[in-house]
Amino acid sequence: MKLSIVISTQPASFSALAYKGKLSENIAKIKELGYDGVELAVRDPRLLEISEIKKLTVDQNFPVSAIGTGQAYGEEGLSFSDPDKTVRQKAIDRVKDQIDLANELNSLVIIGLIRGIVRRGANAAVAEQWILEALHECASMNKDVRLVIEPCNRYEANTVNTVDDGIKLVDKIGMSNVGLLLDTFHMNIEEPDILKSIENAGSRIFHFHIADSNRWYPGAGHVDFQKVVETLYKIGYEGFISAEILPLPDSDTAARETVKYMRKLIV
Ligand code: LER
Ligand code: MN
């Protein structure tokens, strides 16, 4: 298993990002701290110098573990479940741009908060159908790029909150390039037994986020990462473990403590 950390390519209000600001400096820093790769949170790929990002990462054998898309929802309100068809189409088009970016960087695309929040009074079944259709359309665009659905806790989302919800959705879509991203922070809130949930998801897991129970770096809360890592080995997971953590007490300490703690557990 390999270790990466989420950094933002563009200004963002989402808090669980260890680093925002100058990308080249942040990538150099996390390389020096001993990470194997970087996860990029991207609001709009069209505003990025993709060739520059490629030079800083894949061209130097420093992989991009995943492309996060949640900022398109957080900053611009684009979502797969918006009642307005134009907004839903914009969200789909944005994810297609993210898929092109992931193709270029040999990465995968996260479908987390971009699912949106189904509004009070809206028909949940209709919204879930929109989400399913959007996922199907995006996943069909380029079958070489993997999409990962992230179950997110009830305080941030109201569709696909649990791992079981995620498993059902992935199985319903039934495409080999659609899998799951599990996140210890969300699982700590929603799952009765995190280890069992990881086992149930099994080979559907294409990507994995770590944060402790308080969303600080691993070791700062009460998630049992030793058992989590053992379970990931047990199911044969070989992907990235990516730290999506608060920059507390400061970015450098959080990033450094993550490496220190996780390197004892993964090989
Ligand atoms: C949001 O809480 C989160 O975990 C992100 O990875 C979702 O896009
Ligand atoms: Mn996450």
Side-chain angles (χ1 to χ4, degrees):
M1 273 183 275
K2 292 157 283 181
L3 191 61
S4 64
I5 185 164
V6 187
I7 68 177
S8 189
T9 54
Q10 284 148 336
S13 49
F14 183 62
S15 57
L17 291 160
Y19 291 102
K20 303 178 188 178
K22 201 157 182 350
L23 197 63
S24 55
E25 282 168 19
N26 289 337
I27 289 178
K29 196 175 263 186
I30 64 166
K31 262 187 184 170
E32 200 180 302
L33 285 171
Y35 285 90
D36 304 305
V38 63
E39 177 178 323
L40 300 175
V42 177
R43 178 170 68 75
D44 185 350
R46 289 182 190 241
L47 304 176
L48 296 179
E49 278 297 334
I50 296 170
S51 58
E52 281 308 305
I53 295 181
K54 206 170 172 189
K55 271 188 218 150
L56 294 168
T57 56
V58 279
D59 288 355
Q60 299 191 41
N61 271 332
F62 196 65
V64 177
S65 63
I67 308 284
T69 58
Q71 288 179 12
Y73 177 63
E75 309 292 325
E76 294 178 60
L78 303 185
S79 93
F80 287 171
S81 59
D82 196 281
D84 183 341
K85 193 175 188 315
T86 331
V87 176
R88 294 202 299 277
Q89 191 55 50
K90 273 192 187 158
I92 292 171
D93 292 343
R94 183 63 61 84
V95 170
K96 287 183 174 174
D97 287 344
Q98 305 276 26
I99 290 170
D100 282 337
L101 174 65
N103 192 45
E104 193 79 20
L105 299 175
N106 195 21
S107 190
L108 51 79
V109 174
I110 298 174
I111 307 292
L113 301 176
I114 190 107
R115 292 193 297 278
I117 309 270
V118 182
R119 304 199 188 153
R120 201 179 298 217
N123 185 330
V126 170
E128 277 161 26
Q129 186 60 28
W130 288 334
I131 293 171
L132 186 78
E133 283 166 14
L135 277 165
H136 200 272
E137 181 175 341
C138 292
S140 305
M141 175 196 155
N142 181 344
K143 291 191 177 144
D144 291 332
V145 175
R146 296 186 299 166
L147 302 187
V148 287
I149 298 161
E150 180 177 32
C152 293
N153 77 74
R154 71 191 69 185
Y155 306 106
E156 292 183 57
N158 58 3
T159 60
V160 199
N161 297 126
T162 67
V163 174
D164 200 43
D165 294 339
I167 291 173
K168 286 193 181 117
L169 183 54
V170 166
D171 291 352
K172 201 166 178 181
I173 294 168
M175 294 175 71
S176 59
N177 61 329
V178 179
L180 288 175
L181 154 57
L182 301 192
D183 181 326
T184 54
F185 175 71
H186 298 302
M187 287 196 285
N188 180 61
I189 296 170
E190 296 294 345
E191 303 304 312
D193 183 335
I194 292 179
L195 307 180
K196 244 195 205 129
S197 299
I198 294 173
E199 283 193 46
N200 290 344
S203 61
R204 299 177 189 85
I205 305 175
F206 294 172
H207 192 51
F208 201 84
H209 276 166
I210 50 166
D212 219 318
S213 47
N214 44 12
R215 225 169 200 179
W216 278 51
Y217 56 83
H222 57 73
V223 170
D224 188 341
F225 284 100
Q226 178 155 357
K227 292 229 169 75
V228 166
V229 169
E230 274 169 20
T231 310
L232 287 171
Y233 277 121
K234 189 170 155 192
I235 61 160
Y237 180 71
E238 286 180 343
F240 268 93
I241 291 185
S242 200
E244 185 183 46
I245 52 174
L246 295 167
L248 294 173
D250 57 79
S251 299
D252 291 345
T253 307
R256 196 176 302 113
E257 288 298 319
T258 300
V259 175
K260 205 162 106 191
Y261 197 88
M262 294 310 294
R263 282 291 177 214
K264 289 190 213 140
L265 306 179
I266 64 173
V267 280

